[in-house]
Amino acid sequence: MVRKRKQLPLLENILITDVAAEGKAIAKVDGMAVFVPYAVPGDVVDIQLTRKKNSFAEGRVVRFEKYSENRTEPFCIHFGVCGGCKWQMLPYEEQLKQKQQQVADNLERIGKVDLPDINPILGASRTTFYRNKLEFTFSHKKWLTEAQIAGGETFDNMKALGFHIPGMFDKVLDIDKCWLQDDLSNQIRNAVREFCLENNYSFFDLRNQTGLMRTLIIRNSSLGEWMVIVVFYEDDPEKREKLMGFIAGKFPQITSLLYIINSKANDTITDQEVITWHGRDHIYEEMEGLKFKIGPKSFFQTNSEQAYNLYKVVRDFARLSGGETVYDLYTGTGTIANFVARNAKKVVGVEYVPEAIYDAHENSRLNGIDNTLFFAGDMKDVLTADFISEHGRPDVIITDPPRAGMHNDVIDVILLAEPERIVYVSCNPATQARDLSLLDGKYRVARIQPVDMFPHTHHVENVVLLEKK
């Protein structure tokens, strides 16, 4: 017997009071925190609860009784459905205030260490069309919005090329215009979809693992170079050649046109062969005269302009005079390592992904940099006391770990190495704060600089300078 789910209550005329983690808003009802997306402080709303615990609840806004004065009109037609850019209704200056507060709250509440004043967040000069990489998914069955279902609209074509619906791995929203990447990205995606529809190409069925068209990856750089990667699930040479020829002919701006046949269960391409159909197998990015080679599998910060501002903060905090040995942990493709190399005696980079280390070597070679060394492997296994004995004690450590922060073993080795300064770059101030507390025995926080890499989202990057006590 299936137990009938209890209908949760509708809360009426509720005032939104604050912004919470993960970009949601907060209301207080009878002392209980209620979290809802797509609302801003000052809104008065009716909330349909979707989850209820003893101390908190979650819900969705079903009606706005009154709009906050501190609200702006979302600019994207897909707002509220696709799951990206959730803060479009929040004025950009207010977004920056909330991100600044998020950094302060995490460092104070979780870190519990002595802190200097936090520098004002570095906002982005461009808040739309700022990304240099997007990935779109083909689906044989597109996601219908509530408005489309309520309107009784019928669709002859249910194929989609767009973004996954948050929390639903097999649901894809058909995207007409995205404001994240230069508009040529929209033109390429829409043209590819129309071509595939007109020529009756099958779109991927994720559940049954069938279909020709799987994903479309578009990358670009500030130098005006474009990379397009078409990922097919099935291998149909005739249809493949016809589509690739169409893309090359319609978009001469594409400097790197590639394809992949990925017939495995997941979308990752790191283990797949990439075939160059037209042009180079890479594009270039540039910062301060340094060139960075970006391949189809390369990691590069997805906001090039703000990445440059972030790296300048890192270099400023490191205070290099030219005689230091620098360790760059979680170096990725060596972007930061190569960026600071001209100011250091030696830079040693460590990264888990071997392909990224290949790119790091290549970027050093490309720029005539000969004072960098790069090593691939799990950070906690590579960074050992023996490694430090072999390559020299670091005067400065730069670390830019993933969202989970640093492994305790890595922190232990850093404490053993005792560099004069640590520059800690983080995309997650909560785990950064946890790590700062573990380093507090030997290091004090000297400077803090938040950077907004992703406008209209709740995400924030933060750079902390630690100095030896």
Side-chain angles (χ1 to χ4, degrees):
M1 177 181 173
V2 178
R3 180 176 293 176
K4 191 173 181 181
R5 205 170 169 184
K6 183 180 177 183
Q7 176 67 37
L8 293 173
L10 175 72
L11 307 178
E12 297 182 311
N13 289 301
I14 304 299
L15 175 67
I16 300 296
T17 58
D18 208 347
V19 173
E22 302 303 314
K24 292 182 178 179
I26 301 180
K28 287 289 179 70
V29 180
D30 298 330
M32 178 179 66
V34 181
F35 299 94
V36 294
Y38 307 118
V40 303
D43 284 337
V44 179
V45 299
D46 296 346
I47 302 171
Q48 175 60 61
L49 293 187
T50 55
R51 185 181 181 212
K52 190 174 184 299
K53 297 291 184 181
N54 290 334
S55 58
F56 74 94
E58 295 176 358
R60 58 186 174 86
V61 175
V62 294
R63 178 183 169 85
F64 284 88
E65 301 289 352
K66 178 187 171 187
Y67 286 111
S68 170
E69 293 179 0
N70 197 15
R71 166 183 275 276
T72 191
E73 190 66 27
F75 49 81
C76 179
I77 60 171
H78 304 296
F79 174 74
V81 183
C82 97
C85 306
K86 291 180 181 177
W87 274 4
Q88 283 179 46
M89 72 293 180
L90 207 58
Y92 188 55
E93 287 306 312
E94 186 63 28
Q95 293 179 30
L96 294 179
K97 280 171 57 179
Q98 295 294 341
K99 293 184 185 194
Q100 181 96 10
Q101 191 60 48
Q102 182 189 142
V103 169
D105 288 346
N106 278 296
L107 296 189
E108 289 166 6
R109 295 176 187 175
I110 300 172
K112 294 184 173 63
V113 298
D114 291 334
L115 300 172
D117 289 339
I118 300 175
N119 291 339
I121 187 171
L122 291 179
S125 61
R126 289 195 303 165
T127 60
T128 57
F129 302 132
Y130 60 81
R131 282 185 68 107
N132 57 40
K133 180 186 177 184
L134 284 178
E135 181 169 339
F136 304 100
T137 300
F138 290 89
S139 174
H140 77 300
K141 192 175 182 181
K142 68 182 176 184
W143 175 260
L144 298 180
T145 65
E146 289 183 4
Q148 288 171 328
I149 294 170
E153 201 173 345
T154 57
F155 296 89
D156 296 329
N157 165 44
M158 285 295 288
K159 293 177 178 177
L161 176 56
F163 296 128
H164 283 278
I165 296 292
M168 300 182 183
F169 78 100
D170 62 337
K171 309 297 185 194
V172 173
L173 178 70
D174 202 38
I175 296 295
D176 178 53
K177 179 169 183 174
C178 177
W179 291 80
L180 284 172
Q181 195 174 25
D182 182 283
D183 198 51
L184 182 60
S185 174
N186 287 313
Q187 297 172 39
I188 294 169
R189 182 196 62 254
N190 291 343
V192 168
R193 177 179 53 226
E194 289 308 308
F195 178 90
C196 291
L197 290 174
E198 289 171 4
N199 290 276
N200 201 30
Y201 283 26
S202 57
F203 286 26
F204 193 50
D205 179 342
L206 184 59
R207 287 190 178 276
N208 295 313
Q209 298 280 296
T210 58
L212 176 65
M213 306 303 302
R214 185 160 192 170
T215 56
L216 179 71
I217 303 167
I218 303 177
R219 305 185 79 149
N220 67 318
S221 76
S222 62
L223 298 175
E225 299 191 348
W226 287 81
M227 172 185 289
V228 173
I229 310 164
V230 183
V231 183
F232 301 92
Y233 179 72
E234 298 168 350
D235 189 6
D236 186 326
E238 183 179 342
K239 287 186 174 180
R240 182 181 70 235
E241 290 300 303
K242 191 174 178 181
L243 173 59
M244 301 301 283
F246 164 77
I247 297 171
K250 189 168 181 64
F251 298 102
Q253 305 96 320
I254 296 172
T255 47
S256 173
L257 181 57
L258 318 170
Y259 73 87
I260 296 169
I261 311 296
N262 178 11
S263 56
K264 60 187 177 62
N266 60 61
D267 287 339
T268 57
I269 65 168
T270 52
D271 57 349
Q272 299 294 291
E273 180 187 6
V274 183
I275 295 118
T276 304
W277 197 91
H278 169 74
R280 297 191 240 106
D281 65 353
H282 59 275
I283 57 176
Y284 289 110
E285 186 55 271
E286 190 174 87
M287 291 181 188
E288 289 189 354
L290 291 174
K291 268 189 157 182
F292 296 98
K293 182 179 176 182
I294 301 171
K297 302 177 185 179
S298 297
F299 170 79
F300 195 85
Q301 287 280 3
T302 51
N303 184 338
S304 297
E305 190 174 290
Q306 281 297 83
Y308 177 45
N309 290 325
L310 178 77
Y311 298 157
K312 285 191 289 186
V313 171
V314 171
R315 184 173 59 192
D316 176 43
F317 280 16
R319 297 201 316 271
L320 301 176
S321 62
E324 295 88 356
T325 294
V326 179
Y327 280 20
D328 182 28
L329 310 184
Y330 312 93
T331 190
T333 55
T335 315
I336 291 177
N338 284 299
F339 190 77
V340 303
R342 64 180 67 168
N343 303 100
K345 177 184 174 184
K346 178 171 74 171
V347 182
V348 179
V350 183
E351 166 61 41
Y352 178 72
V353 182
E355 291 86 356
I357 289 298
Y358 172 82
D359 286 342
H361 282 294
E362 185 66 13
N363 285 325
S364 287
R365 185 197 63 77
L366 187 66
N367 292 286
I369 295 170
D370 59 6
N371 62 335
T372 55
L373 294 169
F374 295 104
F375 300 90
D378 193 314
M379 189 65 60
K380 63 181 175 56
D381 298 330
V382 174
L383 190 69
T384 62
D386 288 344
F387 183 89
I388 289 170
S389 296
E390 182 178 351
H391 299 288
R393 189 183 73 82
D395 302 293
V396 176
I397 285 181
I398 299 169
T399 181
D400 185 3
R403 288 190 65 80
M406 294 192 291
H407 193 282
N408 282 1
D409 291 352
V410 176
I411 291 175
D412 289 342
V413 176
I414 290 174
L415 291 170
L416 180 70
E418 290 190 330
E420 290 300 314
R421 292 178 295 285
I422 301 168
V423 182
Y424 191 148
V425 184
S426 174
C427 60
N428 186 349
T431 54
Q432 183 184 46
R434 178 203 66 204
D435 292 348
L436 296 183
S437 68
L438 296 174
L439 294 163
D440 187 54
K442 286 188 178 179
Y443 290 88
R444 69 177 186 90
V445 177
R447 297 175 72 182
I448 305 169
Q449 179 62 69
V451 181
D452 184 23
M453 301 288 285
F454 304 106
H456 308 302
T457 77
H458 64 278
H459 298 291
V460 61
E461 205 91 5
N462 192 45
V463 189
V464 170
L465 169 63
L466 295 146
E467 293 179 341
K468 195 158 71 166
K469 289 181 178 177

